[in-house]
Structures are given as C-alpha cells and as structure tokens.
Amino acid sequence: MTKIVIIGGVAGGASAAARARRLSEDAQIIMFERGPFVSFANCGLPYHIGGEIEQRSKLLLQTPESFLARFNVDVRVMNEVMSINRHDKTVCVKNLLDGSEYHEHYDFLLLSPGAGPVVPPIPGVNNPLTHSLRNIPDMDKIIQTIKMNNVEHATVVGGGFIGLEMMEAFHQLGIKTTLLELSDQVMAPVDKEMAGFAHEEIRNQGIDLRLETALSSVEYIEETSVANLDSGESNEHQHINGHLTLTLSNDEQLSTDILIMAIGVRPEIQLAQQAGLQIGALGGIYTNEMMQTSDPSIYAVGDAIEEKDFVTGTQTLVPLAGPANRQGRMAADNMLGRHEKYQGTQGTAICKIFDLAVASTGKNEKQLKRDNVPYEKVYVHTASHASYYPGAEIVSFKLLFDPHTGKILGAQAVGKDGVDKRIDIMAVAQRAGMTVEQLQHLELTYAPPYGSAKDVINQAAFVANNIIKGDATPIHYDEIDNLTEHQLLLDVRNPGERENDNHFEGDVNIPVDQLRQRINELPKDKEIIIYCQVGLRGNVAYRQLVNHGFKARNLIGGYRTFQFSKK
C-alpha cells in the first residue's frame, strides 16, 4: 500500500489529495496543515472583508471531516511538519494544540507550503494595527481590527492583487483609503500604459493613490479604551484602540487606523532547504516537469516552486491558484505510477478594480525587454459588443508578438465588460501555438448583445499582420516625446476632439475625410506622424499618404494609449 504524505492543505495539496484518492482506493493519504483550516478559498478573503461574500462559511470548501467522509483522507489541522528525514523517509510533526511531536513515514511526500507575505524590516511595522492577508485567521484579525478600532482611514502598501482587492474592500466599507506603491504603476503583470486605466479608475473612486512612494517607518500610538466602566464591566472588556503615523519615502507623514502590508509573497522553502533539496536561482523549490524535486520521492507544487515559463522556457515564479491546482493533480498522478508532464505556466490572471477588469496572459513588455526578446506590439480600443447595442463598453487591448514569426508573446486587456473572454481566448491561442496570422481567422460568437462581427482579437490581429506584411509602419506612444524637426505630427480627428488641449503641441489638424482634398498642405520632405483617437482613422490616413508617395507612420493605439500612459 502506497503511503502519501502531503504538507499544506490549500490549493495544490488539497487537489493532490483528492486526485490521489480518485486514482487509488488503497493508498494511505495524510495531509498536514499547520493552520486551523484546509481547502479554503484564499482568493475570496478580501471579498469577505469588504462584505461582498457575506457568509464566512462560503470560504471553507472542505473541512477535515468532509475530506475524510468523501475522500478518506486523514487531514490533520494544527499539525506542523518541523523537518524531513529523507534517509528514513519520515517527517517530524508537531501538534500545535498540545505541543507533542511525533514521526510519520512516507513513500511519497508532497510539499505544498505556499508562499508567505513579504514584510520588509520597516521600523515600527510590528504592531497590533498592521496586518498581512494570507489565510482565514489573518482575515479574522483584520475584521476584528476594523470592528474594535473604529477604523476611519486605511492604508494599503502594495498595488498587486491582494493590495488592490483590500483597497476595494475598505472602500466598500466606507473607509477612506490610501494606496502606496513603490513602482510607477499598480498591477505589475500589465505594462504601465495599460495600468493607466486602472490608475484613473482608482482615483475616480476617491482613493488616495500614491505611486513611486514607499513606507519608511511606522509609529504606533496606543489609546486604551474602557467600555461601559460605569456599568460595572470588568477589565476583560477593555480593548486597545490606537492609530499609526506613517512616514513615507518623500518625508510626508500620514495618519491611519489600519495598515495592510501587501508588497508580495516569497516561496516557503525552509523545510526543503533543511532537507537538502535543490533550490532554484529565483528562490523557489526546484522541480522537474513531473513535479519532482531533486529527491524523486518528494514532489512539490504551487507557490513554493519554480516552474517553467510557457513562453520562454526559462524558470519562473508564478503564485497563482490555477497552476497550483493543476500541478497538485499531476503530482498525484505521478506518485501513483503515471507519467504526466507539466507544460509550463503562462501567468494568466485577472483582477477586479471597482468597475474595471484588468487581465493578462503570457509575457509583458517589461519582461520581454529585460530578457532581450524581440517583439512588436499593437493596441486596439474597441467595443465589447456591437457599439449600437446598449451597454457596449470599450475594451483596451494590447497584443505582443514576434515581428518575424508572428508568435504570440502576450496579451493584456482592460475594460468594464468582455475582458475575461478576450484574455481567455488569447491564453488558449497562445498555448495552442497559434500565430497572429492565424488569429485573424478566429471565428468567435457574434450577436449584437455579445460581440462584434470583427472581434477585438480579430482587429488586433489585423493590425499586427499589417505591420508584419509592411502594410503599416508603426510608431508607439513612447516615441512621441522624441520626435525631430524632420517629422510632422498630423492629427486626423475632427476639430471638436481637440478641445481642452486634447492633442499634441505643434501638430497639424486635417480631418481624415478632408485629407484627399488637402493633401498638398503636407510637406513631402518630412515624415508624417499620423494620429487619431485609437489608431483606426490613422490607418486610413496612413494608406492614403503612402499611396501618394509620402513617408509616414501611424500612432498605434492612437491618442488614447498615449493619454493613459501618463496617468
């Protein structure tokens, strides 16, 4: 009888336990979890804090009792694995309730410890009003602080998924909120010009967004409150109130009632390190494509591991629930004699930011530049469904591709509707090995309430193929500030669209519908840099000009992309 021991009872560990039982009724399966809960929806924690998920019990997907009843898995919560003895194939376990220790033998061991929040050594950060959010006890502490401390102002440090979701949760509760982000943008998986849409939405909701701002120090000011002392209540009903004074990297000070540290996460590798398992260059546990560590009897999955990047084939760290669940399933398969291979992580992700959705898959431009991968990019801003049908919203879409082969490198989208659909399609297309040439031929559902005859993705593919074929010569928003005297900016929008300085300084305005009649007003000894609002009319103007012998380039994504790059 095969004995499988699993360390960590959330996404990857719970998936492995359930899969192992489905494959074998005979295997003995023990799952250790140092916390009080297993198989909980950690992605839902901020939404319970904000009140959108009303019932706390909805976050508990399984309990030790339900796991035992359905899968015959011996789940031991509040039991922490302290060490691994690879030679004897045993783990030393501490019962956190009574302090006792014992040893458990394994045939196969699965490490699924996840990743812990990064809390830098900021002076004063260890105080009762500062929290991170990883599990249900963390969530309960945050809710308790909100209730007991009469929180009127909250500060969130970090503009990633957890930080943005906690920002929205506080806003939902009517709490004034400041969001601090060290970088020049929130939501690192997308590029800055795409994050600009999120920045505008965050500020429009009344959030105090401070980019390129770090937290330098924290001062905790304690205020002891004794409730109803005159009525004879005992001192047991005292509670500690207080507030924090935050000093920021720009030397400004900020008073706040609760502080959430959401800077990021770091793989939990202590057990693996102590056991002498190989740690990758990025700081995660090394695994091969079978999910095995450097010890063939020990597997590892989830946020603690380094995995293969689907696009580049290099190692990467991607703390997402989807990959962790799939890896857990595959590890269970392989422990029980199968030969499943993990085929890499794309990093497909989405985040709700008030009324916006921000999503991405594959590589972003920052990563491609860092890794010296040649790429080209296009932007389209078009309706989520037929624009004449009520409720259409603009989807802003960015496509990154190899300029020679047309290989899809990544995609990003922002909007109020239809964003998840487009990025899911791109994730499938990328995994299937499609090129931007093939994207043109995607046949997607169309009816006015749901889509357009030329979908967002088809349109992005048309633009990309125009560039590859030489039918369009692009210029991008980040080149506009560096034009020379040998170039002329031509705005082909209507004059009304230029009001309130809504245009580039020093440009010439000839609406596209007048261009044929007024083409002689343009100099042939200069390169004409054409722009419109989103790039569509610019392309029409570009073709007219080059067909008349002008040298020209079209601003891909138009003025809208440039505008939001500055947000």
Side-chain angles (χ1 to χ4, degrees):
M1 178 171 59
T2 302
K3 184 173 180 180
I4 297 172
V5 168
I6 298 171
I7 301 174
V10 192
S15 294
R19 176 64 172 173
R21 176 57 71 221
R22 290 196 297 270
L23 293 180
S24 171
E25 196 60 32
D26 298 327
Q28 182 183 1
I29 307 169
I30 303 173
M31 186 161 67
F32 294 109
E33 171 56 51
R34 65 187 171 195
F37 302 99
V38 292
S39 192
F40 60 88
N42 50 3
C43 296
L45 302 179
Y47 298 105
H48 178 60
I49 294 170
E52 289 179 297
I53 298 173
E54 293 183 8
Q55 293 177 299
R56 182 174 177 276
S57 59
K58 295 285 188 185
L59 301 173
L60 303 173
L61 308 178
Q62 294 280 356
T63 65
E65 295 74 23
S66 66
F67 241 117
L68 182 63
R70 179 166 295 182
F71 297 111
N72 191 24
V73 172
D74 180 2
V75 177
R76 304 181 193 176
V77 295
M78 302 304 291
N79 276 252
E80 182 174 7
V81 175
M82 307 303 292
S83 62
I84 302 166
N85 186 322
R86 290 166 53 195
H87 183 264
D88 294 338
K89 284 194 166 185
T90 61
V91 293
C92 176
V93 186
K94 182 176 184 178
N95 184 322
L96 299 179
L97 296 177
D98 62 17
S100 62
E101 292 192 2
Y102 60 96
H103 291 81
E104 198 71 57
H105 175 266
Y106 64 84
D107 294 312
F108 292 106
L109 178 65
L110 177 69
L111 301 178
S112 182
V118 175
V119 181
I122 295 170
V125 77
N126 295 317
N127 64 73
L129 302 181
T130 297
H131 302 273
S132 55
L133 181 60
R134 182 188 183 190
N135 52 37
I136 287 180
D138 291 342
M139 178 189 75
D140 291 340
K141 289 175 187 172
I142 291 170
I143 293 171
Q144 181 75 356
T145 297
I146 293 169
K147 287 179 179 176
M148 301 295 287
N149 199 41
N150 188 28
V151 171
E152 295 181 354
H153 184 277
T155 300
V156 179
V157 181
F161 292 101
I162 295 293
L164 292 167
E165 288 161 0
M166 281 304 305
M167 168 199 73
E168 187 168 352
F170 286 129
H171 184 270
Q172 190 91 355
L173 294 170
I175 297 170
K176 292 180 181 178
T177 305
T178 296
L179 178 64
L180 305 178
E181 169 55 52
L182 179 60
S183 170
D184 61 356
Q185 67 164 92
V186 302
M187 193 75 182
V190 303
D191 291 309
K192 185 178 185 299
E193 71 280 14
M194 300 300 283
F197 297 97
H199 298 161
E200 181 176 76
E201 177 73 6
I202 290 166
R203 290 181 174 122
N204 285 346
Q205 294 289 339
I207 302 296
D208 175 23
L209 173 62
R210 305 195 188 191
L211 300 173
E212 298 182 276
T213 305
L215 178 62
S216 298
S217 66
V218 182
E219 183 185 1
Y220 171 50
I221 294 95
E222 182 180 308
E223 301 162 6
T224 304
S225 171
V226 183
N228 300 320
L229 198 60
D230 294 339
S231 64
E233 277 198 19
S234 74
N235 284 350
E236 292 177 13
H237 291 272
Q238 292 186 16
H239 62 268
I240 303 299
N241 281 345
H243 67 274
L244 303 172
T245 298
L246 311 181
T247 301
L248 311 181
S249 55
N250 57 9
D251 294 329
E252 288 184 21
Q253 289 198 322
L254 180 68
S255 180
T256 197
D257 304 311
I258 187 171
L259 176 63
I260 305 295
M261 299 298 291
I263 291 173
V265 294
R266 182 179 291 124
E268 293 272 12
I269 60 172
Q270 293 89 335
L271 273 177
Q273 274 182 315
Q274 291 165 6
L277 298 176
Q278 182 180 340
I279 304 300
L282 300 178
I285 301 169
Y286 161 83
T287 56
N288 62 19
E289 58 189 1
M290 307 280 284
M291 308 317 302
Q292 287 171 306
T293 67
S294 53
D295 183 328
S297 298
I298 303 178
Y299 291 71
V301 299
D303 296 357
I305 72 164
E306 288 186 13
E307 55 219 276
K308 186 175 79 170
D309 184 283
F310 179 80
V311 180
T312 64
T314 57
Q315 292 301 100
T316 187
L317 293 169
V318 182
L320 292 173
N325 277 282
R326 296 196 305 276
Q327 292 160 4
R329 176 187 172 92
M330 290 178 182
D333 281 358
N334 294 334
M335 288 175 182
L336 293 169
R338 299 194 176 187
H339 296 281
E340 296 291 330
K341 294 182 178 179
Y342 187 67
Q343 296 179 10
T345 297
Q346 293 164 274
T348 308
I350 190 167
C351 187
K352 176 184 178 295
I353 303 175
F354 299 108
D355 292 333
L356 278 188
V358 182
S360 63
T361 191
K363 310 306 286 181
N364 60 42
E365 193 173 349
K366 298 185 294 282
Q367 293 166 330
L368 295 172
K369 282 180 178 175
R370 181 195 66 201
D371 297 337
N372 295 314
V373 176
Y375 70 91
E376 184 55 270
K377 59 185 176 181
V378 298
Y379 304 87
V380 293
H381 306 277
T382 191
S384 56
H385 59 248
S387 57
Y388 55 81
Y389 187 89
E393 298 283 355
I394 293 177
V395 175
S396 294
F397 184 87
K398 178 178 184 177
L399 174 62
L400 294 153
F401 58 96
D402 186 302
H404 305 295
T405 66
K407 175 184 176 181
I408 299 165
L409 300 175
Q412 301 164 30
V414 184
K416 294 183 178 181
D417 180 54
V419 165
D420 53 343
K421 176 167 80 169
R422 271 63 186 216
I423 291 300
D424 284 343
I425 291 168
M426 290 306 304
V428 173
Q430 185 179 60
R431 190 162 286 271
M434 293 179 67
T435 63
V436 292
E437 195 279 330
Q438 292 168 316
L439 280 183
Q440 298 176 106
H441 305 290
L442 283 184
E443 190 172 326
L444 305 173
T445 55
Y446 165 56
Y450 302 109
S452 300
K454 287 189 291 188
D455 189 78
V456 176
I457 290 172
N458 298 125
Q459 293 198 39
F462 295 152
V463 179
N465 281 281
N466 281 342
I467 293 172
I468 289 175
K469 292 175 181 176
D471 292 336
T473 306
I475 189 168
H476 293 295
Y477 75 91
D478 48 3
E479 300 174 77
I480 292 296
D481 290 335
N482 299 311
L483 298 183
T484 71
E485 60 185 16
H486 303 295
Q487 294 167 307
L488 174 73
L489 271 164
L490 172 65
D491 182 358
V492 296
R493 298 174 299 167
N494 294 320
E497 297 174 73
R498 295 165 51 83
E499 292 175 358
N500 303 317
D501 292 327
N502 194 28
H503 63 93
F504 294 120
E505 190 177 342
D507 63 358
V508 171
N509 178 217
I510 303 177
V512 66
D513 294 337
Q514 300 175 19
L515 186 57
R516 280 191 181 86
Q517 290 72 42
R518 299 176 57 185
I519 202 165
N520 291 332
E521 296 177 24
L522 297 173
K524 279 204 169 181
D525 61 346
K526 290 190 176 184
E527 182 180 52
I528 311 300
I529 305 300
I530 308 161
Y531 76 96
C532 63
Q533 190 62 20
V534 298
L536 189 60
R537 287 171 289 178
N539 184 58
V540 173
Y542 169 85
R543 292 308 311 167
Q544 284 186 39
L545 288 177
V546 296
N547 287 339
H548 280 85
F550 285 84
K551 186 180 179 185
R553 286 199 278 169
N554 181 32
L555 178 61
I556 301 297
Y559 193 73
R560 180 178 172 86
T561 301
F562 177 86
Q563 242 180 340
F564 279 90
S565 72
K566 305 295 185 183
K567 296 287 186 181

